[in-house]
Amino acid sequence: MPTVPDDRFERPENVGPGSVWADRSGHRTLVGRNQRGVEIPIGHGEGEINPGELLKLALIGCAGMSSDTNLARRLGEDFEMRLWAHGTSDGSENRYLSIAEEVQLPLEGLTELEIASVVKVFGRAVAAGCTVERTVVPGVEVTHRILGTEQDGQAQQTQQDEQAQQEAQK
């Protein structure tokens, strides 16, 4: 059921699909909302998620969604996946210098060749389809690693090489 902001403030002209808003709920706390009725308490207190955590969740959420269809073809429609994002902001620069993503997948029973294919497919799907990462990466290093694979370091280097090539072409 779509929702809209209350009428305390006039709605901006460019509100449309994909627009989100946040209302102040207290000192350094907000409630973020979308048009589908989801509410997220934003802050640093109990039961709240901070903006840095939201950034990391956006990255791994996008990576998971971008790779889902291709991974399902290789791992089965009901495969399990858990994505992690690690990184703390640099206080002196007041920004994240790097965010490390790690992915857990059911790899037992796969051959080395099949695992290498999963690693490759994941990296390509995220590089091509993750709008959030494609937006953030020019400003922060984001790495991916599929835990439990020997190729994880190789995949990271391949992705970094591909990103460097993309930057050189601009």
Side-chain angles (χ1 to χ4, degrees), residues 9 21 33 53 93 119 158:
F9 295 95
W21 67 97
R33 295 181 170 92
E53 293 165 335
E93 291 196 33
V119 170
T158 301

Side-chain angles (χ1 to χ4, degrees), residues 50-120:
N50 70 51
E53 293 165 335
L54 283 170
L55 171 68
K56 290 179 274 189
L57 280 171
L59 283 164
I60 60 174
C62 189
M65 291 175 70
S66 296
S67 62
D68 192 81
T69 300
N70 291 328
L71 289 176
R73 284 190 206 118
R74 283 151 184 84
L75 301 173
E77 194 59 40
D78 295 326
F79 75 97
E80 293 183 350
M81 173 170 55
R82 178 169 288 154
L83 299 104
W84 297 82
H86 314 286
T88 55
S89 62
D90 180 284
S92 64
E93 291 196 33
N94 195 27
R95 64 185 293 265
Y96 286 86
L97 300 177
S98 67
I99 295 172
E101 295 181 6
E102 295 178 321
V103 183
Q104 293 173 304
L105 296 167
L107 301 173
E108 55 280 341
L110 298 181
T111 67
E112 285 185 34
L113 191 58
E114 290 169 327
I115 290 172
S117 175
V118 166
V119 170
K120 186 176 186 177

